Amino acid sequence: MNRRELLFWLSALGGLGPKALAQVLENPSRLYDLPPYGNATLLYFSDLHGQAFPHYFMEPPNLIAPKPLMGRPGYLTGEAILRYYGVERKTPLAYLLSYLDFVELAKAFGPIGGLSALTALIRRQKAQVEAEGGRVLVLDGGDTWTNSGLSLLTQGEAIVDWQNLVGVDHMVSHWEWTLGRERAEALFKKLKGEHLSYNVVDELFGDPLYPAYRIHQMGRYTLAVVGATYPYVKVSHPEEFTEGLSFALDVRRLQEAVDQARAEGADAVVLLSHNGLQLDAALAERVKGIDLILSGHTHDLTPSPWRVGKTWIVAGSAAGKALMRVDLELFKGGIANLRLRILPVLARRLPGAPDVEAFLEKTLAPHRQHLFEPLAVSESLLYKRDTLYSTWDELVGQAVKALYPEVDLVFSPAVRWGTTILPGQAITRDHLYAYLGFTYPDLYLFWLRGEQIRNTLEDIASNVFTPDPFYQQGGDVSRVYGLRYVLEQAAPGDVVVTLDADGSHLPVQIPELVAAVEHGADLAIASRYRPGARVEGVPAVRRFLSFGARLLLTALFPTPGVRDYTCGFRAYRAELLRKAVERYGDRLVESQGFAVTAELLLKLRPLRPTVEEVPIVLRYDLKRGRSKLPPVRTIRQYLRMMLNLLGR
C-alpha cells in the first residue's frame, strides 16, 4: 500500500481529527479497535459461499421490490441505500454497500474477504473482548461450504476445516445440503461447533434431527441461540439431495423452541437464521420472545439494526466482505440495547492468520494450477447480482449460444452468489467456479412452446415479486438470453420518471413533472427551451449538439408540445408506455447511446400523447464523473435512428 492509497483510504473514512489521523497513519489497524460495550458479543458472518481467497464483490445495480415492500431494508441499492443509512460516497462502507464508484473504490481499497484475513479479524475481536472479561460467540449464518473452486474440489471439507480453525460456535444451513444428505451429515459431525436447526426434521415422523437451540452463560446472564435452516431447500434444489428430510417453515414449532429456551432460563433469545431479511421481518411480527435475529440468505447488509416490533434484525452481508460485531447489553428480560459495528474485511489492509495461510497453501497445492491458470482477460466489468440482469449471465448466454447455435433462448439461474471481475483482470477457473459452482451443473436442452415460456416467466416473477415474504421462495429473476420481456408492475395511474443519475438532473423537480401528468399530460418533459429554464456548466460542444438535434428533429418529426427532444428527464404516464410496448414490442428501442431518448419520444407520436414541458434547471456543473458523450459517435447514432424512422 503506497502513501497515496493510504491517504485516500483515510480521507474517505471522514471525521478523523489531526490526532486520530496521525495515530491511524502510524497504525491503520487501530480502526478495528473498539471500546468495550455491554456484557456479551456476537461475531457474525453469513453467506461466505466458500470464497477462500480475496476477491471483488459488487452490490446489485437494481433491486426491484414488490410495491408494499419498496423503500425498506433489503430493497435499497445505489444512492438510496447510502442515503437511508447516512453513508458518504467513496468511503469503505460505501464500497461494501453500493455499486456506485465500484471500479474506482475496488482499485483504491483492494479486494475483500479471504479466509486468512477474516480469521485474523475474528481472533483479534475475540481477544479484545475476552481481555476485558467479556464472552464471545462466533456465529455462521450458513451457505458456507459450497459454490467455490476449493469448496467443490474438496466437497466442502476444506471449509469445515477452516471453521474448526477459526472456532465457529454455531452455524445454520442451506446450500450445504446440495452436497447430498450423507455428505452434509458427515461434515456436520466433523464440525467442532454445532449445527442448530428447529426445522430440519424427519420427513415421515417429524422428529427433529438437530438441536433447535443452545443456551450459553454470558457472565451474569444467559443467551439462547436458536437455529433456522432455509425452509425451501426442496423447492430450490433437486429433492434427491435431501431424501427423507423436511425443512418446512413452521411458525408454531419455532415459537415452541423460543418458549422452551425461555422456560429453561434464557434471559435473551437470538435467532440465527437463513430465512432471508424479508421473511425474518415477517417472523419478528409473528413469533414472540425473539430479541435479535441475525439474518442470512439474501446477502443484505444493515449498517444499523432494523427494529421490527420488539425485535432487532441484523443482516450479515456475503462473500466474506464484512464481519458483524454485535455487542449486547443483556438484562433479565432480554436485550436492553446493542451496538452494531461493520468491520470491513479489506484483505490488503488486514494482517493474515499464519496457520490459516499454511492450511490453505497445503490444501490448495494439488489444485493451484487448475484453479489459478489465467484463461482470458475481461474487457468489461463482470458481475452477477441484480434483480433482472447481469453481465455474467449475458456472457454465459453467449457461450451457450456459441456451443449450441440452434438454441433460441438460454435460461440461467439468478443465484445471488458469485464474484466480480474488474476490467482488465485475468479470469481464472477459480472465478468460473465462483459463478458456476453447483454440485448439479448440468445443461439441459428443451423444446418449449411460447406459451410454456410465458407461463414459466410469469411463475418466476410471481415468486420474486410477491409482497408476502412467506411465499418468496428463490433468488432474483432467472436470466433469459435471447428474449426481451416486460414485467408489468405499474398500476393504472402510476407515473414512470426517468432522469440522469449523474447529479445534473435535480430530483427536487420530480414533483413538478409528476404534477403535470396528474393534471392531464401523458408525458412531461423537463425542457431547456421554455421560459424560466436555467442551464449551468454545459460545455459548448454539448450545447451545439443539443441545439442542432433540436432543429433537425423539429423539422423532420414535428411533435405537438415538444421543444426539447433530447432531454431524458421525463415523467411518463405508465399506461402510455404500456401501449408503446404493445405497439412496438422488441422494436420499441432499437438505437444505442444518447439517441435512445429521442427515439422513444418519436415512437410515441403515433399514440398522440398530450405533452407538457416544464422549464428545467440543468446543473451540469454538479455532474459526477466525465462525460460519456463521444460527439462523432453520437451524431452517427442520431442520424442512423432518424433514417430508420423515415424509412418506415
Side-chain angles (χ1 to χ4, degrees):
M1 174 174 59
N2 60 39
R3 180 177 176 82
R4 182 179 178 183
E5 288 176 325
L6 181 59
L7 288 172
F8 179 93
W9 180 43
L10 296 174
S11 65
L13 290 170
L16 291 176
K19 184 177 180 180
L21 179 60
Q23 291 174 336
V24 171
L25 281 169
E26 183 180 342
N27 182 8
S29 66
R30 290 172 62 93
L31 291 167
Y32 296 92
D33 290 338
L34 299 177
Y37 181 91
N39 42 32
T41 295
L42 308 178
L43 299 177
Y44 166 58
F45 62 90
S46 187
D47 296 274
L48 184 65
H49 287 285
Q51 293 303 316
F53 309 103
H55 66 123
Y56 299 99
F57 191 91
M58 187 180 81
E59 290 301 303
N62 299 288
L63 281 177
I64 302 175
K67 281 195 172 183
L69 306 182
M70 286 181 176
R72 62 192 274 171
Y75 288 112
L76 301 169
T77 189
E79 195 74 52
I81 194 168
L82 299 184
R83 185 167 56 251
Y84 185 90
Y85 289 110
V87 176
E88 293 291 328
R89 288 182 67 161
K90 299 188 178 183
T91 61
L93 189 51
Y95 178 39
L96 300 186
L97 274 179
S98 171
Y99 71 93
L100 296 173
D101 313 303
F102 181 78
V103 173
E104 177 186 355
L105 296 182
K107 292 177 179 178
F109 296 135
I112 53 89
L115 300 184
S116 179
L118 179 57
T119 302
L121 185 55
I122 290 172
R123 288 173 176 171
R124 175 170 183 161
Q125 296 301 309
K126 189 173 182 179
Q128 286 179 10
V129 176
E130 291 178 343
E132 298 290 337
R135 288 292 311 277
V136 181
L137 292 177
V138 179
L139 302 177
D140 180 341
D143 276 4
T144 305
W145 296 349
T146 61
N147 314 125
S148 73
L150 191 64
S151 65
L152 284 178
L153 292 171
T154 64
Q155 285 291 285
E157 188 166 14
I159 310 302
V160 175
D161 289 340
W162 168 76
Q163 287 176 304
N164 290 338
L165 280 173
V166 79
V168 169
D169 291 292
H170 296 298
M171 72 173 293
V172 291
S173 59
H174 170 203
W175 275 88
E176 286 76 10
W177 294 101
T178 64
L179 293 168
R181 177 178 178 178
E182 182 178 353
R183 179 63 173 171
E185 289 177 343
L187 291 177
F188 284 132
K189 290 179 180 177
K190 184 175 184 180
L191 180 70
K192 293 180 181 178
E194 191 172 31
H195 175 242
L196 299 177
S197 179
Y198 86 93
N199 61 319
V200 178
V201 302
D202 181 87
E203 190 170 37
L204 184 59
F205 299 105
D207 297 330
L209 300 179
Y210 295 93
Y213 62 89
R214 282 287 182 244
I215 298 177
H216 295 268
Q217 191 70 42
M218 310 296 283
R220 294 171 53 197
Y221 303 103
T222 54
L223 176 73
V225 180
V226 180
T229 301
Y230 182 59
Y232 305 116
V233 172
K234 285 185 174 292
V235 176
S236 303
H237 308 288
E239 286 196 40
E240 62 262 25
F241 286 135
T242 53
E243 188 174 349
L245 298 179
S246 172
F247 303 86
L249 180 65
D250 190 332
V251 174
R252 179 191 58 81
R253 186 187 289 269
L254 178 56
Q255 184 68 71
E256 289 176 352
V258 173
D259 292 344
Q260 188 173 349
R262 292 281 189 184
E264 291 182 17
D267 293 310
V269 174
V270 173
L271 178 64
L272 180 60
S273 167
H274 202 86
N275 291 320
L277 191 57
Q278 304 309 318
L279 181 52
D280 282 328
L283 286 172
E285 296 177 337
R286 297 195 186 190
V287 180
K288 307 303 179 185
I290 299 176
D291 298 290
L292 168 66
I293 299 177
L294 300 177
S295 181
H297 174 62
T298 42
H299 293 203
D300 300 299
L301 179 60
T302 53
S304 59
W306 184 15
R307 186 74 162 171
V308 178
K310 296 182 178 181
T311 303
W312 278 289
I313 304 178
V314 170
S317 187
K321 293 175 69 168
L323 176 67
M324 311 297 283
R325 175 169 164 173
V326 188
D327 296 298
L328 307 176
E329 184 68 53
L330 300 177
F331 76 113
K332 277 297 180 183
I335 298 175
N337 208 341
L338 60 81
R339 180 184 69 181
L340 172 63
R341 290 291 183 269
I342 296 176
L343 304 175
V345 185
L346 301 173
R348 290 180 185 167
R349 318 299 191 206
L350 290 169
D355 59 331
V356 172
E357 292 177 0
F359 158 74
L360 287 173
E361 185 65 30
K362 179 180 178 181
T363 307
L364 185 64
H367 312 294
R368 178 176 292 280
Q369 177 65 22
H370 173 75
L371 287 177
F372 295 115
E373 176 189 2
L375 304 175
V377 175
S378 179
E379 297 178 354
S380 60
L381 183 70
L382 291 177
Y383 67 93
K384 175 65 179 178
R385 181 79 207 279
D386 191 276
T387 299
L388 299 174
Y389 169 86
S390 77
T391 51
W392 171 254
D393 289 292
E394 181 80 6
L395 179 61
V396 167
Q398 293 177 10
V400 173
K401 181 74 173 174
L403 285 173
Y404 300 95
E406 71 275 16
V407 168
D408 297 304
L409 305 177
V410 180
F411 287 84
S412 57
V415 295
R416 297 180 177 91
W417 43 268
T419 191
T420 300
I421 300 174
L422 303 182
Q425 185 179 352
I427 303 173
T428 67
R429 287 190 185 87
D430 191 55
H431 293 131
L432 299 185
Y433 277 119
Y435 287 118
L436 302 172
F438 293 86
T439 55
Y440 50 105
D442 308 275
L443 179 66
Y444 297 94
L445 300 180
F446 294 100
W447 290 97
L448 295 175
R449 291 187 174 91
E451 182 180 11
Q452 293 172 297
I453 295 171
R454 183 196 65 193
N455 291 341
T456 299
L457 291 174
E458 288 183 351
D459 285 345
I460 293 169
S462 66
N463 170 44
V464 174
F465 297 113
T466 176
D468 188 344
F470 284 87
Y471 292 96
Q472 294 177 358
Q473 299 178 351
D476 296 311
V477 175
S478 295
R479 320 303 193 202
V480 188
Y481 176 79
L483 174 71
R484 294 179 182 177
Y485 60 97
V486 176
L487 295 172
E488 295 189 6
Q489 288 235 84
D494 281 357
V495 178
V496 178
V497 177
T498 62
L499 74 162
D500 292 352
D502 59 5
S504 60
H505 291 168
L506 304 181
V508 294
Q509 288 198 272
I510 291 176
E512 189 176 359
L513 290 169
V514 172
V517 175
E518 291 176 341
H519 287 100
D522 297 307
L523 168 62
I525 300 174
S527 173
R528 292 161 287 185
Y529 308 111
R530 293 289 177 181
R534 192 167 89 248
V535 177
E536 299 183 13
V538 178
V541 66
R542 288 193 69 118
R543 288 176 178 265
F544 173 77
L545 288 174
S546 298
F547 187 72
R550 178 201 171 195
L551 292 178
L552 192 57
L553 291 167
T554 301
L556 296 176
F557 305 95
T559 304
V562 178
R563 293 184 184 179
D564 198 328
Y565 288 80
T566 59
C567 181
F569 196 177
R570 299 172 180 169
Y572 301 84
R573 190 179 298 278
E575 188 60 29
L576 175 65
L577 293 178
R578 183 177 285 110
K579 290 178 180 177
V581 171
E582 291 172 356
R583 180 183 180 92
Y584 294 101
D586 289 348
R587 294 171 43 247
L588 178 59
V589 177
E590 297 174 290
S591 57
Q592 295 181 342
F594 288 82
V596 166
T597 303
E599 179 193 11
L600 178 57
L601 175 61
L602 297 180
K603 285 185 173 178
L604 295 177
R605 291 169 73 240
L607 301 176
R608 299 184 181 278
T610 301
V611 183
E612 181 176 335
E613 291 192 334
V614 301
I616 189 175
V617 178
L618 178 61
R619 295 295 306 274
Y620 200 83
D621 56 320
L622 299 180
K623 177 181 173 64
R624 295 187 178 102
R626 296 181 179 178
S627 172
K628 298 180 177 64
L629 190 152
V632 176
R633 185 189 308 168
T634 300
I635 293 171
R636 288 175 180 168
Q637 290 168 345
Y638 270 97
L639 292 175
R640 188 179 299 116
M641 179 270 293
M642 288 186 278
L643 288 172
N644 286 340
L645 292 178
L646 289 171
R648 288 176 179 167

